[in-house]
Amino acid sequence: MVSIYTESARASRKQYKETLYSVLFDMNVPAVCAVDQALLALYAARRTSGIVVNIGFNATSVVPIFQGRVMHEIGIETVGQGALKLTGFLKELMQRRNISFESQYTVRTIKEKICYVAADYEAELCKDTQASCEVDGEGWFTLAEERFKMAEILFQPHMGGVLAMGLHKAVSLCMDHCYNAEVLGDHSWFKTVVLAGGSSCLPGLPERLEKELHNLLPTYISEGIRVLPPPFGRDTAWFGAKMIGTVSTFPDAWCVNKKQFRQKSRRSGPSLVNAWQ
């Protein structure tokens, strides 16, 4: 896990933004609005401050946001495992039991249908957790402890052979940084955690993460913490974009047109700093 707030990362983000704008305007796009995916997920939850945990395809990011601004100066924590690793680990668990399947799509479908996050991993091992689901074209599949072992690598990455910090530890580290940053003396803005990304829809994840955070953090930080599931499932960021797109001030406050971009480019030179997150 690394914090990606460095001078080189900051410069890289600016360069990427400028290149994206330039390419789109060369294609005669009338205006561009580019917003951080984590920010869109937060807006979808009808909040402007908090921490977004985005479980992406290859990695998971923990993003602090205050009043609609990504707090790069506090630090974005990145954990080197995401949906691909979860699906791959479930595939490995199924192979250990000699469960045959046709493709990665089959494994992903099973993950989405019957897998979950255990509230207490050790206690769950003692329960009967067998369940079945049907995958179109392949028939029925029955799993037991694989259903929750798959997601446990979010909290115990070593189980999947990953050298990384557990998700709960990454979030608690981010919260500790937020607390010490003393933004306007407000110690409550980061206590709402919004989950985003398809794999964040796993049942039990919000409850488990909230429980682990309360166990890890001192009371003066953990009191009042809430972990919210993605409000619109895997489409949460899309709905956040839809919400800001319907605001009356959207074209003027959020978008940049070609003329504005060219003018700023001439004034600022190659390291244009623009308003979008």
Side-chain angles (χ1 to χ4, degrees):
M1 186 208 66
V2 296
S3 175
I4 65 170
Y5 183 70
T6 64
E7 288 303 316
S8 60
R10 185 178 184 182
S12 178
R13 285 197 305 273
K14 289 179 182 177
Q15 184 178 14
Y16 173 75
K17 293 173 184 178
E18 293 163 18
T19 301
L20 177 63
Y21 268 39
S22 182
V23 169
L24 289 173
F25 286 130
D26 285 344
M27 297 168 61
N28 294 319
V29 172
V32 178
C33 172
V35 183
D36 191 290
Q37 182 172 315
L39 187 55
L40 294 175
L42 190 66
Y43 286 156
R46 301 187 180 279
R47 285 166 172 77
T48 58
S49 297
I51 292 176
V52 175
V53 176
N54 184 32
I55 303 179
F57 186 67
N58 286 309
T60 297
S61 57
V62 182
V63 186
I65 299 170
F66 180 68
Q67 293 183 356
R69 187 172 73 87
V70 176
M71 303 296 284
H72 292 289
E73 60 269 37
I74 290 177
I76 298 173
E77 310 298 335
T78 303
V79 180
Q81 60 177 355
L84 182 63
K85 181 60 183 178
L86 290 170
T87 303
F89 188 52
L90 178 58
K91 175 182 176 181
E92 181 182 330
L93 293 172
M94 291 171 64
Q95 288 172 333
R96 290 179 192 174
R97 282 193 52 203
N98 296 317
I99 300 174
S100 59
F101 49 87
E102 290 293 327
S103 66
Q104 190 90 340
Y105 167 78
T106 302
V107 181
R108 188 171 71 246
T109 302
I110 295 170
K111 178 185 76 172
E112 294 171 355
K113 285 191 171 185
I114 60 173
C115 289
Y116 65 98
V117 177
D120 183 321
Y121 178 70
E122 296 300 329
E124 205 72 11
L125 288 170
C126 301
K127 299 177 182 178
D128 178 8
T129 55
Q130 184 170 296
S132 301
C133 71
E134 185 178 15
V135 178
D136 290 343
E138 287 206 57
W140 287 85
F141 292 84
T142 300
L143 302 184
E145 60 185 27
E146 298 84 10
R147 296 176 60 210
F148 62 89
K149 274 189 173 181
M150 179 274 297
E152 189 61 25
I153 63 171
L154 290 172
F155 299 93
Q156 301 188 61
H158 66 274
M159 289 177 56
V162 178
L163 293 176
M165 185 177 288
L167 179 61
H168 56 310
K169 293 182 178 179
V171 178
S172 68
L173 182 61
C174 182
M175 286 189 163
D176 186 62
H177 291 330
C178 292
Y179 179 86
N180 290 323
E182 297 184 343
V183 177
L184 299 179
D186 181 4
H187 289 149
S188 63
W189 66 271
F190 57 85
K191 293 189 177 184
T192 296
V193 178
V194 177
L195 302 180
S199 292
S200 70
C201 298
L202 285 166
L205 180 55
E207 295 81 3
R208 171 69 179 278
L209 180 55
E210 187 171 311
K211 170 188 170 183
E212 296 291 349
L213 290 174
H214 279 285
N215 290 339
L216 271 176
L217 292 163
T219 305
Y220 60 85
I221 296 180
S222 66
E223 186 176 3
I225 286 176
R226 293 180 62 209
V227 179
L228 306 180
F232 296 97
R234 66 172 67 240
D235 298 321
T236 291
W238 185 89
F239 272 93
K242 181 181 178 182
M243 289 170 66
I244 66 171
T246 60
V247 176
S248 60
T249 57
F250 174 71
D252 297 325
W254 291 84
C255 297
V256 174
N257 60 39
K258 187 174 183 177
K259 182 179 179 181
Q260 291 171 326
F261 175 73
R262 299 303 184 204
Q263 288 174 342
K264 288 183 179 181
S265 295
R266 284 195 293 270
R267 289 199 305 267
S268 304
S271 58
L272 166 68
V273 179
N274 52 56
W276 56 287
Q277 293 291 332

